[in-house]
Amino acid sequence: MRGAGAIVAEVLRTLKEKASPGITTLDLEKIAAEEIKKKKAVPAFKGYRGYPFCLCTSVNEQVVHGMPSKRVLLDGDILSVDVGVLYDGFYGDAAITVPVGTASAEALRLIDITALSLAKGIEAARIGNRLMDIASAVQRCVEAVGFSVVRDFVGHGIGRSLHEPPQLPNFGAPGVGERLKAGMVLAIEPMINAGGYKVKVLKDGWTAVTEDGSLSAHFEHTVAITEDGPHVLTRLTRA
Ligand code: MF3
Ligand code: CO
């Protein structure tokens, strides 16, 4: 799964560079589609339950599953971009949230805490721990600063399919759930709101937004559980 993970990491690096004021989310989709093709991988989301794009691009109060469009990114927006690929029989899946130009201090804090909560979740992805130890590590980190964990979407097992059991919420009690074993691979993906945890899905059937209009951020890594601890397959390994 390292191959798929590395491609996802490289695509996200490119998109992070390109996400500046004036570009549209559809421009980003085209850039990603080309890079995925060039690297001999297949977009994982396109065609999944009829989803029409390689990327999910979720802006500001959009939580996840925003669809690339002619929307122009503006200075001060925050953009969550999620990408998955199939390569050599296996999937990789990751997401980042980036400020577009200069974002507010609150937006930057939300981004930092969401990234930190993913790091805490990854730290808990260790042999002998239980599944919900990951969830509870994420939740503690987020709620300690007054942000909230989205309930309606979860992380997941990943491998020869994009979504495999188990489902992995980002909230819950520690010490609960199955024991983590070497060889399990999980997509850990906290979705965090600056306001309340409630979300709703727009009439397009995909775009999830915060109910109170507050900002939302999303980070995701594909993480293998190994004898040597958690191994992040979607981390950039070299410049
Ligand atoms: N990272 C998200 C997930 O694992 C993205 C899925 S988008 C979809 O569910 F289009 F494939 F649903
Ligand atoms: Co995922």
Side-chain angles (χ1 to χ4, degrees), residues 141-162:
C141 172
V142 167
E143 293 183 351
V145 302
F147 293 145
S148 63
V149 173
V150 170
R151 269 55 170 165
D152 293 5
F153 300 95
V154 297
H156 48 95
I158 179 170
R160 290 194 179 273
S161 300
L162 175 63

Side-chain angles (χ1 to χ4, degrees), residues 45 82 93-94 154-156 158 162-163 187 189 218 220:
F45 302 166
D82 190 347
D93 185 8
V154 297
H156 48 95
I158 179 170
L162 175 63
H163 295 144
E189 50 178 318
H218 178 209
E220 176 177 19

Side-chain angles (χ1 to χ4, degrees), residues 30-69:
K30 286 177 189 148
I31 290 165
E34 267 176 38
E35 185 168 347
I36 291 167
K37 193 172 171 189
K38 211 175 83 190
K39 294 184 189 300
K40 312 273 184 229
V42 176
F45 302 166
K46 201 169 188 159
Y48 182 86
R49 299 189 182 201
Y51 187 77
F53 297 102
C54 305
L55 299 181
C56 298
T57 52
S58 307
V59 183
N60 296 338
E61 80 290 351
Q62 297 176 353
V63 177
V64 285
H65 304 163
M67 287 192 277
S69 72

